[in-house]
Structures are given as C-alpha cells and as structure tokens.
Amino acid sequence: MNMVQLKQAIAISLTKQVQSTAQALASTMLEDFAKTQQTIQQAAQAPHPSLGRVLDVRV
C-alpha cells in the first residue's frame, strides 16, 4: 500500500466512524424528543390541581 492509498483508507475509515457516531447521536436525540413530547401531552391532559377547590370572590 502506498501513501496515497493509506491516506484514502484512513479517511474512509474516519468518515465511517463519524457517520456511525452521528447516527447514534441522532437516534438518541429523536428518542429523547419523543419522550419529551409524550410527557408534554400527558401534562396537558392532566386536570389542574386546584381547579374547583378554591373560589376567588370579591364583594
């Protein structure tokens, strides 16, 4: 293997590693995003904790 082929092989190897890492990070980010969206939807459906218990009336 000459120097040019070695450089190309190293560059391809590094590119594959970076791409693999980026895919793993993107997958983790999307999973976290889905969990966050689910949490937000559940919180939006929960009733207000003091709704109907206290009335603010001024006379």
Side-chain angles (χ1 to χ4, degrees):
M1 217 186 230
N2 63 21
M3 192 60 96
V4 173
Q5 289 175 333
L6 180 61
K7 285 182 180 180
Q8 287 177 343
I10 291 172
I12 290 171
S13 176
L14 286 174
T15 302
K16 287 181 182 179
Q17 288 178 353
V18 168
Q19 187 177 23
S20 176
T21 302
Q23 284 178 331
L25 290 172
S27 176
T28 303
M29 181 184 65
L30 290 174
E31 288 174 7
D32 290 344
F33 181 72
K35 288 178 187 176
T36 302
Q37 288 296 323
Q38 188 177 31
T39 302
I40 290 171
Q41 287 176 351
Q42 289 173 352
Q45 293 173 353
H48 194 274
S50 65
L51 186 63
R53 292 187 191 157
V54 179
L55 296 176
D56 294 331
V57 179
R58 291 185 184 188
V59 180

